[in-house]
Amino acid sequence: MKFDINSLGIVLALLGAALAAFGAGAGSAKGVGMGGEAAAGIITEDPSKFSKVLILQLLPGTQGIYGFLIAFITFTRIGVIGGDSDISFAKGLLYLFACLPMAIVGYASAIRQARASVASMGVLAKKPEAFGKSMLLPIMVETYAILALLVSILAIFGVSSLNI
Amino acid sequence: MAKVQMQRIYIYALNKDRKPILEKLQRFGVVEVDDIIPEDDIFNKADVSKAKMNFEKNIAAARDAVEVIERYVKEKKSLLASLKGKKDISIEEYDNFRHKYSETVQTAGRILSYEKKIAEIKAEINRLEAQTEMLLPWTSLDIPLNFSGTKHTRAFIGCLPKEWSLEDLYAELAEYMPLNIDIISSSKDQTCIFALCSRTNADGVYEALRRIEFSLPSISTNKAPAEQLNEIRLELNEKRKAVSEAEKAIAELAKFKEDLLFLQDYERIRVDKYEVIGRLAQSKNIFILTGYIPVKEKAKLEADLASKYLLAIEFSDPADDEDVPVLLKNNWFAKPLEGVLEGFSLPGKTELDPSMAMALFYYMLFGIMLSDAGYGLIMAIACGFALLKYRNSMEPSLKNSITMFFYCGISTVFWGFMFGSFFGDVIDVIASVYFGVTELPVLKPLWFVPMDKPMAMLTFSMALGLVHLMFGLIMKVVQLVRQKDYIAIIYDALSWFCLVISCTVLLLSMEMIAESFNLNLTIPPLVTKIFAVLAVVSALIIVATNGRESRNPFKRFLKGVYALYGITGYLSDVLSYSRLLALGLATGVICNVVNKMASMAGGTGVVGTIIFILILLVGHALNIAINVLGAYVHTIRLNYVEFFGKFYEGGGRAFNPFKMKTKYYKVKERIENEV
């Protein structure tokens, strides 16, 4: 049987989707875990702060969702869930690259955001009235995850309308 | 949309009226007391730390007592109880508490002493149980453990490590016959033995036993172990009975829990009162109270106090350099956001209250980010229900946030229908799975579906962002007008306004940009030219003026150029609004995933339908939780960073009136009827 390089297209596209889900998901898992450890410490001292530390703990969790989102949108375009599975090698590679921003930035930003979150929990423990401000610091990190998400989404939509 | 106007208040009154006047002020709760009058030969300040300490001790005792009660008497707490707020109590009940006061303090003491007793007895029980543990291997020995022998014999009672058989022991000690060895008990870890030998051999036997690591028992008794155990058991029973009696006594005192809670509030009120007494300037016969009062409250307070007591009240406008406390007053639409504003900072001295300006965009931004009619409906119904059920007793701050989420929910419903999302595409899924409808979508969006046209949504997000930012600049103009800094309006606000707008128009006039946004604009060249000129002029104004605090012209110029570089800040601010698209998509896509999973796993038939519904319930519940949190924090971020960054600094101090600050009860006021 003759090897057709275009049969690799869907493989690469799926690899991209998997990387996005994996990178961002692993980052969020690690980040939320770090937040949870710090949150547990605060709750032992003051259980009434539970709802507030929970918010801070969940902040680095969004990257995992974004990664999942990218993976899902890719699925719908490449025939795994709906869409056309006839994907050329070039197109598959493009999908892979389109997913990379979310995979890489998702991983890095989740962990950095988690560190900011943990630091903010320290603020919350000592100065509960500064909760609004302390919540803002981790949110600043989130911006870059959102930008990566946008780039990935726009790229995937763009690639799917390309005719190659 | 305003800060409440404050005035200074001075009250001069007789010491003999001090108590009733202060109580009245505390009930009114409209005056913030400070101490600006320095001590001198005539006026000095009372030392109240001792009295306050006493009250605080009572608060701590009552709190601990309540904790003890809650430990022994379990009470069911409903999940919604935290929404309920404080219990109402009438002023008569409050006054009558005086008669119960000392009794309640004693009750707290009694509960704590019972608790202490229980702890002591429990320690004793632990000790006895440890003894029992040690005595158990010796139960079959019928002589006391400290028995050492008779006139001619010597007894050794003790333990050997590991398990020993009688033969091995006899073999070990064979040279010291005559000898009697009994194994009292043996286990894998130790063997308890009783050895009897003649006194003449005693030393040798001891040496031999030491060689095989013989040790005396860790407990010594002068009664036979079995007898001793019996006694300990009796004692243990007695102690346990004492514990349960003490617990019962605590349970009986549990009916005073309400009183103990009230005692805490009562003492808190007194602590506050003494705090204020400590701030009064007092002479032999009169005292002076100084503070701040909202202007609209002063007439009522003055009338009420002057009619009853011999005193003089003076009001004056605060000086410019005074740190006047801030109290906000807003209408129903903006009031719920006061808490969010306070999370940033209250408006500073020369600033406006931005609540209303925030409100105009806040609910909308939240709605666009969550953008699902179904989720909005759930939020609105849940918050509406809580508001309705606990409308009278809910804490004001909690009420504010729940009202905020109620409005956010309504806005989400609106935007959900605009973007055609009701629990994602659940209507389509149900229609196609159960009713075989093929004409999809059933629920058509009023505007467009962001997932189909992401670029359109991105354009809308950034356009909205631009409007929001420009509105921020307009707020700055309003603020500068109020500060009468007219020159800064042109230099710091209008120049930027013109620059940003004209740059936007110029960008859009470029074909490449307009194309990528799918915009079909034809901007006439003349208009482009006008805006180009405008952009250059405003840029020049910025370069020329934004470094105006520096004298050195070169430095001034450099500072101006650096300020112009701030245009990149506007670019990133506008881009930041792309999160409206991202979060909206996140909600929508996960909704659709849940629906898809449900339709794939479930389907027609009874079991299929149950699975279908189950997956929908769990999936959407998770999605709501995560995305409401996301929408909430990102709305706040857009407000704090992008919007407030344009005009608002904050730095005000909250108005903290002298009032009845309680934790569990709310003393119902009837001052109107009293007058």
Side-chain angles (χ1 to χ4, degrees):
Chain A
M1 198 180 91
K2 211 178 138 223
F3 175 68
D4 179 12
I5 197 166
N6 284 335
S7 66
L8 281 181
I10 190 163
V11 177
L12 290 172
L14 195 68
L15 175 66
L19 277 180
F22 161 76
S28 276
K30 195 168 173 189
V32 175
M34 282 160 69
E37 285 171 28
I42 290 177
I43 293 171
T44 27
E45 287 292 313
D46 183 0
S48 68
K49 292 205 177 91
F50 174 69
S51 58
K52 287 181 178 172
V53 290
L54 191 69
I55 291 180
L56 287 174
Q57 191 203 345
L58 281 180
L59 290 180
T62 41
Q63 279 86 343
I65 295 172
Y66 299 156
F68 166 76
L69 206 119
I70 291 298
F72 185 80
I73 293 179
T74 312
F75 287 166
T76 59
R77 307 274 151 167
I78 62 171
V80 176
I81 310 175
D84 186 9
S85 66
D86 183 25
I87 291 164
S88 69
F89 180 75
K91 206 166 185 180
L93 203 57
L94 286 173
Y95 274 122
L96 171 59
F97 284 133
C99 290
L100 283 185
M102 195 64 247
I104 297 166
V105 178
Y107 182 79
S109 71
I111 289 168
R112 287 290 145 173
Q113 193 177 10
R115 293 173 70 159
S117 259
V118 169
S120 291
M121 283 185 203
V123 175
L124 181 66
K126 285 179 188 146
K127 287 213 159 59
E129 68 276 7
F131 175 64
K133 291 179 190 106
S134 71
M135 196 174 68
L136 206 58
L137 306 177
I139 292 294
M140 301 309 245
V141 186
E142 175 109 359
T143 306
Y144 304 100
I146 289 180
L147 293 181
L149 170 70
L150 269 178
V151 168
S152 286
I153 285 186
L154 295 178
I156 290 169
F157 282 142
V159 168
S160 69
S161 60
L162 286 180
N163 205 4
I164 47 172
Chain B
M1 183 182 168
K3 292 194 282 185
V4 174
Q5 199 192 344
M6 294 278 171
Q7 267 193 331
R8 273 216 152 275
I9 178 171
Y10 300 85
I11 298 178
Y12 311 89
L14 298 175
N15 271 342
K16 71 176 170 63
D17 293 331
R18 193 182 73 191
K19 191 167 174 257
I21 289 177
L22 286 184
E23 276 172 7
K24 197 113 228 176
L25 282 176
Q26 195 167 20
R27 284 183 193 178
F28 265 112
V30 293
V31 179
E32 180 181 293
V33 181
D34 57 11
D35 50 351
I36 49 166
I37 299 176
E39 285 187 87
D40 56 24
D41 297 344
I42 302 165
F43 287 104
N44 44 42
K45 277 160 193 169
D47 179 22
V48 290
S49 53
K50 225 182 211 166
K52 261 166 63 185
M53 217 155 75
N54 194 23
F55 300 144
E56 266 151 18
K57 209 177 76 199
N58 282 342
I59 294 176
R63 195 179 49 221
D64 292 347
V66 169
E67 238 171 64
V68 171
I69 290 177
E70 278 169 354
R71 205 173 325 140
Y72 291 108
V73 186
K74 290 268 174 280
E75 219 174 272
K76 255 196 212 155
K77 254 191 187 162
S78 97
L79 211 59
L80 290 173
S82 55
L83 292 175
K84 208 169 164 186
K86 298 169 192 165
K87 211 187 239 177
D88 281 339
I89 193 164
S90 72
I91 205 89
E92 287 80 23
E93 278 174 275
Y94 170 78
D95 282 338
N96 288 337
F97 188 75
R98 252 180 326 180
H99 309 303
K100 277 203 276 185
Y101 174 77
S102 57
E103 193 192 327
T104 310
V105 174
Q106 276 171 15
T107 310
R110 265 166 68 203
I111 290 173
L112 290 181
S113 74
Y114 280 130
E115 168 70 1
K116 198 172 157 212
K117 200 165 143 201
I118 290 177
E120 280 168 5
I121 300 175
K122 279 198 171 150
E124 188 73 3
I125 288 177
N126 279 342
R127 195 179 61 82
L128 291 173
E129 274 170 351
Q131 279 187 11
T132 315
E133 200 74 2
M134 284 186 265
L135 281 173
L136 273 178
W138 299 101
T139 334
S140 57
L141 186 69
D142 48 8
I143 49 174
L145 281 174
N146 63 357
F147 174 75
S148 63
T150 59
K151 198 171 166 194
H152 297 291
T153 60
R154 176 82 167 87
F156 294 102
I157 299 172
C159 312
L160 298 169
K162 304 217 177 87
E163 200 163 8
W164 285 82
S165 71
L166 211 49
E167 288 101 78
D168 292 344
L169 275 174
Y170 272 115
E172 200 70 41
L173 299 167
E175 49 182 306
Y176 304 110
M177 292 301 263
L179 188 72
N180 174 52
I181 303 175
D182 288 327
I183 290 182
I184 309 297
S185 70
S186 79
S187 67
K188 230 197 267 168
D189 301 323
Q190 65 164 14
T191 308
C192 299
I193 59 162
F194 168 76
L196 197 70
C197 63
S198 77
R199 277 220 173 250
T200 47
N201 283 337
D203 290 343
V205 170
Y206 187 57
E207 274 310 306
L209 282 173
R210 284 289 297 273
R211 267 201 304 280
I212 54 173
E213 292 177 57
F214 172 82
S215 63
L216 293 172
S218 46
I219 181 171
S220 168
T221 64
N222 40 28
K223 286 196 191 108
E227 203 180 327
Q228 181 84 5
L229 265 177
N230 245 348
E231 267 172 40
I232 290 179
R233 268 187 202 129
L234 284 180
E235 206 177 334
L236 267 175
N237 278 344
E238 226 164 84
K239 302 269 179 204
R240 291 205 175 108
K241 217 195 276 167
V243 168
S244 71
E245 256 164 38
E247 283 178 356
K248 217 191 283 168
I250 291 177
E252 248 164 56
L253 290 173
K255 62 172 183 279
F256 294 112
K257 185 176 159 192
E258 300 273 299
D259 285 343
L260 288 168
L261 291 176
F262 190 69
L263 176 66
Q264 294 177 42
D265 279 353
Y266 191 79
E267 295 291 59
R268 256 181 220 120
I269 290 170
R270 286 172 84 184
V271 167
D272 284 346
K273 190 162 72 189
Y274 274 74
E275 176 90 43
V276 166
I277 292 178
R279 287 180 185 170
L280 300 178
Q282 308 192 49
S283 73
K284 211 171 124 204
N285 294 316
I286 72 155
F287 72 89
I288 308 174
L289 180 146
T290 61
Y292 294 98
I293 183 168
V295 170
K296 63 181 168 43
E297 305 283 354
K298 68 182 193 184
K300 207 164 99 188
L301 181 79
E302 193 174 15
D304 194 64
L305 286 180
S307 68
K308 289 204 178 99
Y309 310 104
L310 185 61
L311 47 65
I313 302 184
E314 238 178 42
F315 297 100
S316 69
D317 284 323
D320 284 342
D321 57 345
E322 262 179 65
D323 181 20
V324 181
V326 177
L327 180 68
L328 302 177
K329 181 163 176 62
N330 281 296
N331 57 16
W332 57 272
F333 188 62
K335 191 172 173 27
L337 295 179
E338 283 174 6
V340 178
L341 180 63
E342 224 167 300
F344 185 80
S345 185
L346 285 169
K349 215 176 304 159
T350 56
E351 284 181 320
L352 286 166
D353 172 11
S355 310
M356 191 63 196
M358 259 172 92
L360 289 177
F361 283 88
Y362 189 94
Y363 304 122
M364 178 160 70
L365 294 174
F366 188 100
I368 296 174
M369 287 195 218
L370 195 56
S371 71
D372 188 281
Y375 291 2
L377 210 59
I378 288 183
M379 265 175 79
I381 290 174
C383 294
F385 172 77
L387 284 175
L388 204 66
K389 180 148 189 219
Y390 301 113
R391 61 187 172 282
N392 293 325
S393 59
M394 199 184 273
E395 284 299 289
S397 61
L398 187 66
K399 195 172 181 174
N400 267 352
S401 14
I402 292 187
T403 318
M404 180 191 86
F405 280 115
F406 178 67
Y407 294 152
C408 286
I410 292 174
S411 155
T412 308
V413 172
F414 172 76
W415 287 102
F417 282 124
M418 288 295 269
F419 296 138
S421 176
F422 184 83
F423 293 105
D425 54 0
V426 79
I427 295 178
D428 293 357
V429 170
I430 291 175
S432 62
V433 170
Y434 289 95
F435 303 104
V437 178
T438 47
E439 227 175 280
L440 300 175
V442 179
L443 179 75
K444 290 193 181 59
L446 296 177
W447 195 12
F448 66 94
V449 180
M451 227 182 307
D452 298 342
K453 292 187 198 161
M455 276 320 282
M457 185 61 196
L458 186 63
T459 314
F460 169 64
S461 304
M462 299 217 268
L464 184 66
L466 195 64
V467 173
H468 198 199
L469 293 175
M470 291 306 105
F471 185 60
L473 277 180
I474 293 172
M475 286 301 292
K476 185 171 183 128
V477 172
V478 175
Q479 201 146 281
L480 287 171
V481 168
R482 261 176 56 118
Q483 291 166 9
K484 301 196 171 66
D485 193 353
Y486 298 112
I487 202 80
I489 295 177
I490 297 172
Y491 292 168
D492 293 342
L494 284 184
S495 58
W496 279 106
F497 194 85
C498 292
L499 184 63
V500 174
I501 295 288
S502 48
C503 282
T504 313
V505 174
L506 288 178
L507 277 177
L508 289 180
S509 69
M510 286 184 223
E511 229 171 86
M512 189 192 78
I513 303 266
E515 220 169 68
S516 65
F517 281 109
N518 285 333
L519 293 174
N520 234 342
L521 295 173
T522 35
I523 300 170
L526 182 67
V527 176
T528 318
K529 221 168 247 169
I530 292 173
F531 275 106
V533 172
L534 196 60
V536 171
V537 169
S538 43
L540 285 178
I541 292 178
I542 289 169
V543 172
T545 63
N546 273 23
R548 60 187 180 279
E549 65 273 14
S550 298
R551 285 265 173 88
N552 183 335
F554 186 63
K555 211 169 164 189
R556 225 169 123 157
F557 173 72
L558 280 186
K559 268 193 175 174
V561 172
Y562 181 70
L564 185 62
Y565 182 67
I567 189 77
T568 56
Y570 279 87
L571 186 66
S572 64
D573 282 351
V574 170
L575 281 178
S576 180
Y577 284 83
S578 62
R579 71 188 72 227
L580 296 179
L581 161 65
L583 288 168
L585 276 187
T587 319
V589 169
I590 295 174
C591 274
N592 290 355
V593 172
V594 169
N595 295 340
K596 191 152 225 159
M597 285 197 312
S599 68
M600 285 193 300
T604 44
V606 178
V607 181
T609 310
I610 291 174
I611 294 174
F612 184 81
I613 292 172
L614 222 60
I615 293 181
L616 282 190
L617 280 180
V618 174
H620 285 299
L622 274 176
N623 196 18
I624 288 184
I626 235 100
N627 279 299
V628 167
L629 173 68
Y632 172 62
V633 295
H634 286 285
T635 311
I636 287 185
R637 182 224 142 102
L638 286 179
N639 255 295
Y640 282 3
V641 181
E642 274 77 19
F643 186 53
F644 281 176
K646 296 288 157 285
F647 70 100
Y648 186 73
E649 269 172 24
R653 178 171 68 86
F655 181 60
N656 181 18
F658 172 44
K659 64 175 185 190
M660 295 181 145
K661 276 187 209 112
T662 55
K663 204 167 160 191
Y664 303 104
Y665 292 91
K666 190 159 64 191
V667 181
K668 264 273 175 239
E669 276 313 324
R670 288 191 311 115
I671 289 185
E672 292 86 335
N673 315 351
E674 266 176 45
V675 177

